[in-house]
Structures are given as structure tokens and as C-alpha cells.
């Protein structure tokens, strides 16, 4: 049964209320609160029963047929919710807004928030990843893009030229999980984001018209950016329906301040996850992340994905690392203190939004407790930035919040004794009454003579006197016991005195819970006034944590401080790939990368598996590490500032769009050629291998010439087209290098050392042998290779390509020389005759040629 098929006039009031709410959230699953459950109906029920593996049942709703229904316990809904969100659904939480006990007729209900892929605020998010929701506003001549992590409040905006490919690259590169677009946008962009990158896309045109959040954009002059920000704000505010005052002033992104690269380069270089398993382990982030806080880890990841181009800031970070390495005792003390700091950024988000609990405030307290020590250490290090310690907030939380407070805020047990006199008085009344209840048990045993008489309590019947079946005859009328409940082995009674004390105790319990909740909300409001200061503290803590992590990694792995030069020279001595070195500690071979004045391109040849790709990635990763302000794996390093990195490494089909390996190669090569500048770094690994040999070789040469003559970017270009090595004679800024190997007795040994000059052999069959291909296959491949290598000989050699094909038999032409030789009798001719015959035959051969 579908909603559209229902006669609404016949529905029960509750179901009519549900459908009125559902009509406002057509594209959203409604979690509809009914008592202790969230229930889903109609199409929502069918989806949830399938996705969450719930039993699909039915509910009477005034119709002849029961409507489809399934449900989940309200106190355990988060796991179900997150499963739906991860699968691309939106979920609206519809709560009871009035107390059913105090409401006559229908309980008022409405949606209190909509949860989507980019707007989750809960403890189940990965603490080391940002969760961005963003938007695209199509102005028809350019795009406005803004995005925010509503768990931390960071907010960014930028303008992008009206190029759909560049737009999609920016959205994907910035890890935006959910995108809001206006209706003018090209539908192909929506399809690409949804189908190729699994980004949730919603179309709305409304922009936020109120001034509640004008502090976000008050310093932005560009009206296009302001419109873009308001467009995203409208969606966030409608979705979250709560206080979002923790959102921070929007930072307008200046692309020129960062070293940029696309998502393919990030994957090829394995910056945040590995290519094969898509895991953090063995990525650059895995190596560098020795942070102690969640904000520090997120800040490090953001910097790896967005290295700097500001030489002054980069050198400032080098200075900090040097200081931390010198003051290593202070560094270790700093990291110990940082390990006590919780996720302040996301705590602030929950404080602002109002979904925090007492344990969140305890985490804030524990974090504030170590701030004085962190401040002192930063001052001793002359760090250049300082933090406030917020002693008044710490003292309040220390005095007010119970150390063992429950997760929920409406069960009591939140507030410490001594914080509020009224609360203490009610607790004394409750405590005294409970003591009196215990005394009643003792007194009643003496009065009745029933030794196993017990006083108990449950939520249904309240306090009661319980007497076993065997002792029921001992109950007398003068005891004034009133039978309340009969069980299999006992009877339960109440007395007027017990009922009186029960009312006092339960009344006190309710008063305590209500008063504690009020006090807790007052404390939250007080702390909310410090949101801005806590966010400033958290920013500094994140940077300090990242710098301490980089210093630790540098110390552990013997990294050196790079020198940033204004010349376009790369001089790296004994450079290493940091991750490969970490994994293969004993076998790693360092290599120099020298690209001085007049050298723009290194053409790299050498065997498969010898280390060409590692050598290329090594340079890019050293550049990225240097430009985030980290020391680098080398004996010495002098490099310029790069503005962009482009890579084409590895073969991959784009199956979604139906593009072949070669088409993907050409598109990525074109992107580099169109966007690169003389200050860029290009890495092309075996470009052109996806097509026929001569086509690939021709394109590779043309691309090398174009980079050399037109772009002049620093380029590493590996190839198996050994013919290209001759380009060094014509292209003055190209140099040949090779990764060396030694062949002995048919066995190959890779030296992994890069040397000057070129090689003319790939050793492919040797690599196949190392891969344990059958010996007969290797032998046959060697035979075929020798045929190809001898193609230059005049004598044509037939190459058998299949065991089942035989060569066509050709009719042999008569050989004149053989026929003449057969006629000659060597024993009957003189030496002079033999000489004349030989001369004559030679002349005829010459004439024939």
C-alpha cells in the first residue's frame, strides 16, 4: 500500500498527523516517535525493513487494510540511522513535543532535525575526518561554492570559473559529502556527482534572508560569495532546526596560497589512503600522524591535502620543529598534556546545537584542566601563539558536574552535592524518606512476627510490602494491610503510611530530575558564551599537535630541514620515499634528484620493478612534506616552491563513463598540459602505453617536446620507449637517467639506484621469470624476443604465433648459382678456369642485386 493510494478522510487522527508531516519531507524517511519507539509507515517502512533488516508488519489506521509499518527503539536509534545515512538516505527525526500524560487528545509532533550525509552531529563520526556539506550556486558565468563542517563550525567559500570539469574536481578534492545546488545547474553535473562519486545532491533555490548569521559573511565584499553562503545556510538551518552559533566566520579560499593537485594525484601518491586497499595504513598520513588529539589529526590531513605556498609560514613551521627537536623534554611533556585534550571542536558544536550531555561537559573540563600546563610549555618554547586557560569555566564544571553522570540528561545524577542549596535540600528529603522506608521493614517484621517480610519497589506499583505464600495466614486485619498484587509465591500489600512516604520520595525524585535538568541547561548556556574562545584555543591546539607530530616523525626517521630556494633548482641528496623506507627498513636505497639550472625534464628508463615509479613519487612526496612545513627524508634538500602537481601513474579504466585506459591517460595528460605553469611539477609514468607502440611513442615524444618548449615545468617522465632517449640530443633541458640493474647468468638483480644516462633494455622477460611464470613460457618468450630484436636483418624470419598455425608453403625459386655449381667438375678444370668461373658467378650475383 502506498500513500498516494490512501483515502485520507478515513484515516485515524494519528495517521493523518503523520501524513501531514510526511508531505513536507517527501524525499526523506520519517522516524515518527510513538512512545518508546520510532515507527515508519508506507514506503518508508518498506525501505527500512529492507535496508535495516526489520520485520515488516502493519498498523490499524482507520482503513480496511493495515498500513505497512516497522519500528525501532527510540533509545537505540543511532545505529539504524547511520546505516541509512551511509546508504544515501535522508532521515527526519519527528519527536513528541508535548507530554502524553499532560495532553488531552493528540500529542503534538513535528520534525526536530533532518539528518543527512553531510549534516550528522554525533559521536559515531570518524574523529579524524571532517564531514563537509557544501553547495554550488550556478551564476551562469561562474560557480559559487561554499562548504562547512557543522560538527566543528569551519566554513569556506570560493568562486570557480564556469567549467564543469574544474567544478567537479574541486568538489571531489575537498571531500564534500553532500552538495546543495540551485536549479540552473547542468543536470550532467548532478549525474556525475551522484553516479561517479556517490555524493548526495539536493536541488533548492531558496537563500536565507534573515540576519541571524550575518557575522559569517560581514567582511566579504563579493556579493556572489554572500549569495552562495546564504544558499547553503538556508539548507543547513532548515535541516538542523537548532542553534548553529558555533559556525565560524567564512574563510574565502585563495587558491594561490596552496599547492594544488587533483583527486587522482592524491590517490596516485597515496597521501591519505593506499591505492589497493583504500586504507590509511601505509599512506603518507599514516606515517606522519603521531598526533594526540582529534583536531590535530584532522588539521594534519587538511595540510597534507592543501600544502602551503607561503615561504614565510613554511619557514616558521621549520623553526618550530627545530625548536621542538632541541627542547625534546618539553616536546614530550607537551604531547603528554595534549593526550588529555578531547575533541574541543566537536564539543563546541554539540554545546551550540544543544545535543550535548553531562559527559561532554566532563570532557570539556578534563581538557581545560591541562591548558595551563600547555600554555606554560608554549611560552617556554617561544611558540609565538598563546592560549587562554578559561579557569572560570573549569571551576564551574569542577564544582557542578558529577564525575559519574549518566549519558542522558533527564534521569538525574548530573549535579554534585553542594552546588545548589535547593537541590541539596530535596535530596536530603528523599534520602531521609528512603531511610524511613528501610526502618519500616524492620518495624513491620517486629510488629507482625513475619521474619521474611520485605519492602520493595517497582515503577508500576511503587513501594509495597511483600509476604511469602506460607506466611499469608499470619497477616491480621489490625495490620491495616491492603492487598495490591498476587504473585505465584507471594502477596504484595500497601499501607497508608507506606503510600504517604512513597508520594514524598517520588515527588522528590521528580523535583530532583527537573531541577538538575534546569541547572544543567543553565550551565550549558553559560559555557555557550565561551564558544568563540574555545574555538580559538582548539585551532592553536590543533596546530601545536600537528607540529609536535611532525617533529616526532622527523626525529624517529632522521629527516632534515629543507631549504626553500627562489631559484628553479631541485637538489636533493640521498632522497628517500618515506613510506617505502619505513616498510622496507633494511633494503631501501636512497637516490639523488638533481635538476639544476637548465634541466627541466628527467627522462627515466630502466627495468620494470626497478623503482622508477617510487623514484617519481619520492620527489612529489618530498615536495608536499616540505610545503606543509615538515622536515623531509633526505641527507640534504633544496627545492623551490611549487604551485601545482600533476601525475599520471598506473593504468586505470573509467568503467563508469566507459572510458578506456588510453582515454583516461590522454585526459589526464591534457589536464596537466592545460593547467601546468613553469612552477609546476609533472610526473608521467609510461605515458602512451595504452595504445599501439608507434602511436604511443609519437604522442609521448610530442608531449615531451611540448612540455620542454612551451610549459617548462619540472617533469619526471618514465618510459619503455628507449627510442625517446635520443631526444636528449635535441632538447637541451632534457636529461636521461636510468634505474640500474645487473644481469648475470640470465638472472636480474635490481639495484634501485638512479644513474645518469639511458638504458636500452627493459628486462621484461626476467621480471616475468621472477613472477614464477612457467619455464617453457619464459623460454618461448625469449625465442620470440630474439626474433623481434633481429628484425633489422635482410633475411626474413617467420615467427610462429600459435602452435596450431603452420606457415604457408612457398614454391622455391630456382637458384642460378647452385645450378651452375652442379655442372662443374672440380677435377677436370685448371686453377685458371676455376678463377674465371668464380669471377663470372660473382659478376652475375652483382648484376642480380
Amino acid at each position: 500500500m502506498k500513500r498516494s493510494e490512501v483515502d485520507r478522510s478515513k484515516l485515524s487522527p494519528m495517521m493523518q498527523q503523520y501524513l501531514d508531516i510526511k508531505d513536507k519531507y517527501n524525499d526523506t524517511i520519517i522516524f515518527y516517535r510513538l512512545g518508546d519507539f520510532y515507527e515508519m509507515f508506507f514506503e518508508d517502512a518498506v525501505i527500512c525493513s529492507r535496508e535495516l533488516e526489520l520485520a515488516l508488519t502493519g498498523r490499524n489506521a482507520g482503513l480496511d487494510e493495515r498500513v505497512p509499518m516497522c519500528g525501532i527503539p527510540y533509545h537505540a536509534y543511532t545505529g539504524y540511522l547511520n546505516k541509512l545515512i551511509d546508504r544515501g538516505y535522508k532521515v527526519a527525526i519527528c519527536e513528541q513535543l508535548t507530554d502524553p500524560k499532560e495532553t488531552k487528545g493528540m500529542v503534538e509532533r513535528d520534525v526536530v532535525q533532518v539528518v543527512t550525509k553531510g549534516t550528522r552531529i554525533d559521536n559515531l563520526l570518524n574523529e579524524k575526518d571532517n564531514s563537509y556539506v557544501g553547495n554550488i550556486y550556478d551564476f551562469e558565468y561562474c560557480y559559487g561554492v561554499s562548504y562547512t563542517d557543522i560538527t566543528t563550525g569551519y566554513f569556506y567559500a570560493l568562486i570557480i570559473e564556469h567549467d564543469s570539469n574544474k567544478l567537479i574536481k574541486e568538489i571531489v578534492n575537498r571531500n564534500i559529502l553532500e552538495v546543495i545546488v540551485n536549479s540552473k545547474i547542468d543536470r550532467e553535473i548532478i549525474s556525475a556527482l551522484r553516479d561517479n562519486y556517490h555524493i548526495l545532491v539536493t536541488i533548492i533555490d531558496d537563500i536565507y534572508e534573515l540576519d541571524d548569521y550575518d557575522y559569517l559573511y560581514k567582511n566579504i565584499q563579493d556579493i556572489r560569495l554572500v549569495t552562495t553562503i546564504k544558499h547553503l545556510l538556508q539548507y543547513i538551518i532548515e535541516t538542523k532546526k537548532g542553534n548553529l552559533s558555533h559556525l565560524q566566520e567564512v574563510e574565502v579560499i585563495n587558491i594561490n596560497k596552496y599547492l594544488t593537485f587533483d583527486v587522482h594525484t592524491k590517490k596516485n601518491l597515496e597521501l591519505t589512503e593506499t591505492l589497493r586497499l583504500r586504507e590509511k595504513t601505509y599512506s603518507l598520513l599514516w606515517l606522519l600522524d603521531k598526533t594526540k588529539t582529534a583536531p590535530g589529526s584532522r588539521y594534519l590531513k587538511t595540510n597534507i591535502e592543501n600544502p602551503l605556498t607561503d615561504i614565510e609560514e613554511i619557514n616558521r613551521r621549520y623553526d618550530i620543529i627545530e625548536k621542538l627537536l632541541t627542547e625534546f623534554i618539553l616536546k614530550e611533556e607537551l604531547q603528554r598534556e595534549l593526550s588529555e585534550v578531547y575533541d574541543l571542536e566537536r564539543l563546541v558544536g554539540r554545546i551550540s546545537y544543544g545535543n550535548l550531555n553531562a559527559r561532554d561537559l566532563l570532557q570539556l573540563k578534563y581538557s581545560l584542566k591541562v591548558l595551563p600546563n600547555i600554555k606554560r610549555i608554549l611560552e617556554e618554547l617561544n611558540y609565538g601563539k598563546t592560549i587562554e586557560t578559561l579557569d572560570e569555566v573549569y571551576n564551574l564544571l569542577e564544582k557542578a558536574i558529577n564525575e559519574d553522570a549518566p549519558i542522558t540528561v533527564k534521569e538525574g545524577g548530573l549535579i554534585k552535592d553542594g552546588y545548589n542549596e535547593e537541590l541539596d535540600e530535596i535530596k536530603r528529603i528523599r534520602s531521609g524518606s528512603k531511610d524511613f522506608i528501610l526502618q519500616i521493614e524492620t518495624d513491620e517484621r517486629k510488629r507482625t512476627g513475619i521474619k521474611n517480610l520485605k519492602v520493595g519497589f517497582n515503577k508500576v506499583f511503587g513501594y509495597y510490602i511483600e509476604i511469602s505464600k506460607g506466611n499469608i495466614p499470619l497477616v491480621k486485619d489490625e495490620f491495616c494491610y491492603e492487598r495490591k498484587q498476587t504473585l505465584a509465591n507471594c502477596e504484595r500489600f500497601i499501607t497508608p503510611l507506606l503510600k504517604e512516604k512513597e508520594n514524598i520520595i517520588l515527588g522528590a525524585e521528580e523535583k530532583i530530575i527537573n531541577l538538575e535538568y534546569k541547572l544543567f541547561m543553565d550551565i550549558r548556556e553559560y559555557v555557550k558564551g565561551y564558544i568563540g574562545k574555545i574555538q580559538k584555543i582548539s585551532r592553536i591546539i590543533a596546530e601545536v599537535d600537528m607540529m609536535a607530530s611532525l617533529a616526532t616523525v622527523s626525529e624517529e626517521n632522521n629527516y632534515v630541514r629543507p631549504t626553500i630556494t627562489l631559484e628553479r633548482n631541485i637538489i636533493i641528496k640521498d632522497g628517500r620515499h618515506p613510506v617505502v623506507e619505513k616498510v622496507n627498513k633494511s633494503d631501501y636505497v636512497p637516490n639523488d634528484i638533481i635538476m639544476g639550472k637548465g634541466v627541466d625534464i628527467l627522462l627515466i628508463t630502466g627495468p620494470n620493478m626497478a623503482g622508477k615509479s617510487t623514484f617519481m613519487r619520492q620527489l612529489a612526496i618530498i615536495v608536499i612534506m616540505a610545503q606543509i612545513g615538515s622536515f623531509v627524508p633526505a641527507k640534504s634538500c633544496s627545492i623551490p616552491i611549487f604551485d601545482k602537481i600533476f601525475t599520471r601513474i598506473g593504468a586505470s579504466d573509467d568503467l563508469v563513463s566507459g572510458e578506456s585506459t588510453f582515454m583516461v591517460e590522454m585526459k589526464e595528460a591534457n589536464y596537466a598540459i592545460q593547467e601546468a605553469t613553469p612552477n609546476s611539477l609533472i610526473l608521467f609514468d609510461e605515458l602512451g602505453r595504452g595504445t599501439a607502440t608507434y602511436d604511443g611513442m609519437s604522442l609521448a615524444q610530442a608531449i615531451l617536446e611540448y612540455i620542454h618548449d612551451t610549459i617548462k615545468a619540472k617533469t619526471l617522465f618514465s618510459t619503455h620507449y628507449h627510442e625517446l632517449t635520443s631526444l636528449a640530443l635535441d632538447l637541451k633541458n632534457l636529461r636521461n637517467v636510468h634505474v640500474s640493474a645487473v644481469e648475470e647468468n640470465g638472472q636480474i638483480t635490481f639495484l634501485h639506484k638512479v644513474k645518469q644516462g639511458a638504458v636500452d633494455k627493459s628486462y621484461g622477460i626476467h621480471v616475468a621469470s621472477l613472477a614464477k611464470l612457467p619455464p617453457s613460457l619464459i623460454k618461448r618468450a625469449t625465442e620470440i624476443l630474439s626474433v623481434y630484436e633481429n628484425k633489422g636483418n635482410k633475411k626474413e624470419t617467420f615467427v610462429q604465433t600459435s602452435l596450431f598455425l603452420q606457415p604457408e608453403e612457398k614454391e622455391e625459386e630456382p637458384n642460378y648459382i647452385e645450378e651452375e655449381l652442379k655442372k662443374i667438375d672440380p677435377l677436370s678444370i685448371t686453377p685458371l678456369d676455376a678463377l674465371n668461373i668464380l669471377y663470372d658467378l660473382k659478376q652475375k650475383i652483382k648484376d642480380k642485386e
Side-chain angles (χ1 to χ4, degrees):
M1 182 189 298
K2 297 181 179 178
R3 282 187 300 136
S4 57
E5 300 169 350
V6 170
D7 181 354
R8 297 198 177 192
S9 64
K10 296 181 180 179
L11 290 172
S12 65
M14 185 278 290
M15 192 55 67
Q16 285 180 352
Q17 183 191 56
Y18 168 80
L19 288 179
D20 289 343
I21 293 170
K22 178 66 181 174
D23 289 343
K24 301 174 187 176
Y25 298 92
N26 261 318
D27 63 342
T28 306
I29 292 171
I30 305 285
F31 277 15
Y32 187 76
R33 180 73 177 272
L34 285 169
D36 288 341
F37 286 84
Y38 287 119
E39 296 188 359
M40 290 70 76
F41 304 105
F42 297 103
E43 292 92 337
D44 286 1
V46 175
I47 291 170
C48 290
S49 67
R50 181 183 70 245
E51 299 287 0
L52 303 177
E53 300 178 4
L54 301 173
L56 184 65
T57 60
R59 174 180 276 274
N60 292 321
L63 304 174
D64 297 334
E65 185 182 347
R66 285 155 63 91
V67 303
M69 183 208 82
C70 65
I72 55 175
Y74 87 95
H75 56 80
Y77 79 97
T78 51
Y80 297 103
L81 171 71
N82 281 294
K83 188 177 286 188
L84 289 172
I85 299 304
D86 289 339
R87 294 180 183 181
Y89 296 98
K90 300 179 183 179
V91 179
I93 309 297
C94 181
E95 290 288 1
Q96 297 172 167
L97 303 182
T98 53
D99 189 339
K101 296 176 185 175
E102 301 173 1
T103 304
K104 292 181 179 180
M106 277 292 298
V107 173
E108 186 181 348
R109 294 181 180 86
D110 204 353
V111 171
V112 296
Q113 68 165 316
V114 179
V115 186
T116 63
K117 190 178 272 190
T119 61
R120 278 188 280 191
I121 303 181
D122 58 45
N123 292 321
L124 296 178
L125 287 169
N126 186 333
E127 66 173 14
K128 300 201 170 186
D129 287 331
N130 284 107
S131 179
Y132 289 125
V133 56
N135 73 320
I136 303 167
Y137 201 92
D138 190 345
F139 291 100
E140 298 184 290
Y141 64 92
C142 71
Y143 298 109
V145 172
S146 66
Y147 59 101
T148 181
D149 181 345
I150 62 172
T151 68
T152 64
Y154 291 124
F155 211 135
Y156 308 93
L158 67 157
I159 295 293
I160 299 172
E161 62 182 279
H162 209 259
D163 180 319
S164 60
N165 288 326
K166 288 184 179 178
L167 173 69
I168 291 170
K169 283 180 185 292
E170 285 293 336
I171 296 296
V172 174
N173 287 352
R174 296 182 186 282
N175 298 316
I176 299 174
L177 303 175
E178 179 181 3
V179 173
I180 319 308
V181 300
N182 63 338
S183 56
K184 292 180 181 178
I185 201 163
D186 188 338
R187 292 305 183 267
E188 288 188 5
I189 294 174
I190 296 176
S191 297
L193 292 173
R194 283 176 175 166
D195 299 338
N196 296 359
Y197 301 103
H198 309 294
I199 294 172
L200 181 64
V201 181
T202 303
I203 303 173
I204 62 169
D205 284 321
D206 297 338
I207 65 172
Y208 193 64
E209 300 291 356
L210 301 178
D211 295 330
D212 308 37
Y213 294 94
D214 61 349
Y215 73 91
L216 291 170
Y217 48 80
K218 65 182 179 182
N219 294 320
I220 298 176
Q221 304 300 318
D222 192 330
I223 192 64
R224 299 171 300 177
L225 286 174
V226 173
T227 301
T228 303
I229 294 162
K230 287 182 172 181
H231 180 237
L232 180 56
L233 266 179
Q234 176 66 24
Y235 177 77
I236 296 172
I237 290 166
E238 278 211 356
T239 300
K240 299 317 295 176
K241 298 180 181 294
N243 187 308
L244 297 170
S245 59
H246 69 291
L247 293 178
Q248 302 183 46
E249 185 177 344
V250 177
E251 178 184 335
V252 179
I253 292 175
N254 180 352
I255 299 294
N256 295 327
K257 289 185 177 180
Y258 302 97
L259 166 61
T260 60
F261 40 78
D262 67 7
V263 68
H264 302 295
T265 295
K266 188 168 80 173
K267 287 180 179 177
N268 287 334
L269 298 178
E270 299 184 306
L271 297 182
T272 58
E273 62 181 23
T274 56
L275 270 171
R276 177 175 289 184
L277 300 177
R278 302 193 66 181
E279 293 178 348
K280 178 183 173 182
T281 305
Y282 302 130
S283 67
L284 180 63
L285 176 60
W286 163 79
L287 178 75
L288 298 182
D289 192 358
K290 303 291 185 183
T291 57
K292 302 299 181 181
T293 70
S297 185
R298 290 194 295 268
Y299 188 67
L300 173 62
K301 184 179 180 183
T302 298
N303 274 267
I304 290 173
E305 294 175 334
N306 302 275
L308 307 175
T309 57
D310 183 342
I311 297 178
E312 187 176 336
E313 175 61 19
I314 292 170
N315 277 314
R316 184 186 77 85
R317 292 184 177 183
Y318 294 162
D319 292 341
I320 291 170
I321 292 176
E322 275 194 344
K323 187 71 173 177
L324 289 168
L325 291 175
T326 303
E327 303 286 350
F328 58 90
I329 295 176
L330 279 177
K331 176 180 76 72
E332 290 174 4
E333 185 183 354
L334 174 63
Q335 289 186 303
R336 279 197 303 273
E337 299 295 348
L338 288 171
S339 66
E340 300 297 320
V341 178
Y342 286 84
D343 195 342
L344 290 176
E345 291 174 345
R346 287 186 171 167
L347 282 174
V348 162
R350 292 199 287 276
I351 291 168
S352 169
Y353 188 64
N355 65 332
L356 86 164
N357 55 44
R359 294 188 186 178
D360 292 328
L361 288 182
L362 287 172
Q363 289 184 0
L364 177 60
K365 184 188 83 170
Y366 301 146
S367 302
L368 296 179
K369 183 178 180 180
V370 298
L371 292 188
N373 268 345
I374 293 175
K375 180 179 182 179
R376 172 185 58 79
I377 294 168
L378 295 182
E379 288 171 352
E380 289 186 36
L381 289 169
N382 295 318
Y383 190 81
K385 295 181 181 180
T386 189
I387 56 175
E388 290 189 64
T389 55
L390 305 186
D391 297 337
E392 61 276 26
V393 179
Y394 171 76
N395 292 332
L396 171 68
L397 298 178
E398 171 65 17
K399 183 180 178 183
I401 305 298
N402 253 332
E403 299 292 338
D404 55 352
I407 293 176
T408 58
V409 295
K410 293 188 177 180
E411 292 183 4
L414 303 175
I415 306 299
K416 281 183 176 179
D417 294 341
Y419 177 70
N420 180 272
E421 289 185 12
E422 182 184 355
L423 179 62
D424 291 345
E425 180 61 30
I426 300 171
K427 284 181 178 179
R428 278 193 292 271
I429 292 171
R430 179 188 63 179
S431 178
S433 297
K434 283 187 174 181
D435 291 341
F436 187 78
I437 292 289
L438 294 174
Q439 187 61 45
I440 286 176
E441 184 177 87
T442 303
D443 293 345
E444 287 300 305
R445 284 179 178 177
K446 289 179 180 178
R447 186 165 75 95
T448 62
I450 303 171
K451 293 182 179 180
N452 64 353
L453 177 151
K454 289 189 288 188
V455 175
F457 174 83
N458 67 34
K459 290 184 178 180
V460 178
F461 295 108
Y463 285 96
Y464 54 79
I465 294 172
E466 183 176 287
I467 299 175
S468 65
K469 286 284 189 185
N471 287 318
I472 293 298
L474 299 177
V475 177
K476 300 175 182 178
D477 291 342
E478 64 257 31
F479 295 168
C480 298
Y481 282 9
E482 179 184 337
R483 183 176 276 103
K484 190 69 177 175
Q485 186 183 17
T486 300
L487 300 177
N489 59 353
C490 65
E491 297 274 357
R492 289 175 176 173
F493 303 87
I494 60 171
T495 67
L497 181 62
L498 195 60
K499 199 67 184 172
E500 178 189 340
K501 287 299 179 183
E502 175 187 296
N503 291 335
I504 293 172
I505 293 171
L506 296 184
E509 290 280 5
E510 187 174 351
K511 285 180 181 177
I512 288 169
I513 288 171
N514 291 337
L515 182 53
E516 285 203 357
Y517 180 72
K518 178 184 179 301
L519 293 170
F520 178 82
M521 298 306 287
D522 290 344
I523 293 167
R524 193 197 79 186
E525 286 302 310
Y526 176 81
V527 173
K528 190 184 288 187
Y530 287 83
I531 280 178
K533 291 184 177 181
I534 297 171
Q535 286 175 327
K536 287 179 182 177
I537 293 167
S538 186
R539 278 180 180 256
I540 295 173
I541 290 288
E543 183 194 273
V544 168
D545 193 14
M546 180 186 80
M547 298 312 300
S549 175
L550 294 177
T552 298
V553 174
S554 297
E555 185 177 31
E556 290 177 352
N557 300 290
N558 196 28
Y559 295 167
V560 298
R561 175 173 180 155
T563 300
I564 302 298
T565 175
L566 298 178
E567 304 291 330
R568 291 186 65 252
N569 297 330
I570 298 173
I571 303 174
I572 300 173
K573 296 287 188 178
D574 285 346
R576 291 115 57 197
H577 188 298
V579 178
V580 177
E581 173 193 37
K582 192 73 173 177
V583 176
N584 302 321
K585 293 180 180 177
S586 59
D587 300 331
Y588 195 84
V589 177
N591 276 299
D592 296 347
I593 305 176
I594 310 296
M595 299 180 77
K597 187 176 182 180
V599 179
D600 290 336
I601 301 173
L602 292 184
L603 185 61
I604 310 165
T605 50
N608 293 301
M609 286 182 60
K612 298 191 298 297
S613 296
T614 300
F615 178 73
M616 297 171 75
R617 288 187 174 99
Q618 170 184 314
L619 174 58
I621 288 176
I622 285 175
V623 167
I624 288 168
M625 288 177 67
Q627 290 189 219
I628 68 173
S630 171
F631 284 15
V632 299
K635 189 175 180 181
S636 64
C637 173
S638 174
I639 56 173
I641 290 291
F642 289 92
D643 60 359
K644 301 171 186 176
I645 297 178
F646 303 91
T647 65
R648 173 59 203 170
I649 299 174
S652 59
D653 293 350
D654 188 347
L655 299 177
V656 174
S657 59
E659 292 179 345
S660 68
T661 298
F662 184 64
M663 176 58 80
V664 173
E665 269 191 350
M666 291 300 101
K667 281 193 168 184
E668 292 183 10
N670 179 58
Y671 175 64
I673 287 167
Q674 296 295 333
E675 299 293 326
T677 73
N679 296 320
S680 299
L681 175 62
I682 300 174
L683 309 179
F684 282 161
D685 189 14
E686 298 183 36
L687 194 68
R689 64 183 169 183
T691 187
T693 301
Y694 291 113
D695 283 353
M697 192 188 310
S698 303
L699 281 164
Q701 178 171 336
I703 288 169
L704 278 168
E705 290 173 352
Y706 189 87
I707 293 172
H708 180 276
D709 297 337
T710 306
I711 303 174
K712 305 183 187 302
K714 295 294 185 185
T715 303
L716 302 189
F717 195 111
S718 75
T719 186
H720 281 295
Y721 299 139
H722 299 113
E723 294 84 349
L724 295 178
T725 58
S726 63
L727 287 173
L729 300 174
D730 301 317
L731 304 181
K732 65 177 183 177
N733 295 330
L734 181 147
R735 297 290 183 274
N736 284 314
V737 296
H738 69 278
V739 188
S740 56
V742 174
E743 182 186 358
E744 289 181 329
N745 302 322
Q747 298 295 315
I748 188 170
T749 301
F750 300 118
L751 301 181
H752 302 294
K753 197 69 179 175
V754 177
K755 298 181 178 180
Q756 296 297 316
V759 295
D760 57 1
K761 193 172 183 180
S762 290
Y763 299 97
I765 292 176
H766 297 82
V767 174
S769 179
L770 291 176
K772 305 298 183 185
L773 268 67
S776 59
L777 187 153
I778 299 296
K779 182 180 178 184
R780 178 59 181 149
T782 305
E783 292 170 356
I784 296 171
L785 176 63
S786 66
V787 171
Y788 282 121
E789 289 178 340
N790 290 310
K791 275 286 186 180
N793 294 347
K794 289 181 181 177
K795 184 177 179 181
E796 186 175 330
T797 305
F798 171 76
V799 180
Q800 181 176 315
T801 57
S802 169
L803 296 175
F804 305 103
L805 293 178
Q806 298 297 329
E808 294 182 9
E809 292 187 4
K810 295 183 180 180
E811 185 176 340
E812 291 187 10
E813 295 182 6
N815 189 316
Y816 174 79
I817 305 299
E818 286 184 14
E819 294 301 321
E820 287 296 313
L821 288 173
K822 286 177 182 177
K823 296 176 185 178
I824 298 172
D825 181 5
L827 298 176
S828 63
I829 61 171
T830 66
L832 183 60
D833 291 334
L835 187 60
N836 288 332
I837 292 170
L838 181 60
Y839 178 84
D840 185 56
L841 289 174
K842 187 176 179 182
Q843 190 63 42
K844 286 181 177 178
I845 290 171
K846 189 175 181 181
D847 293 339
K848 192 173 182 180
E849 288 179 345

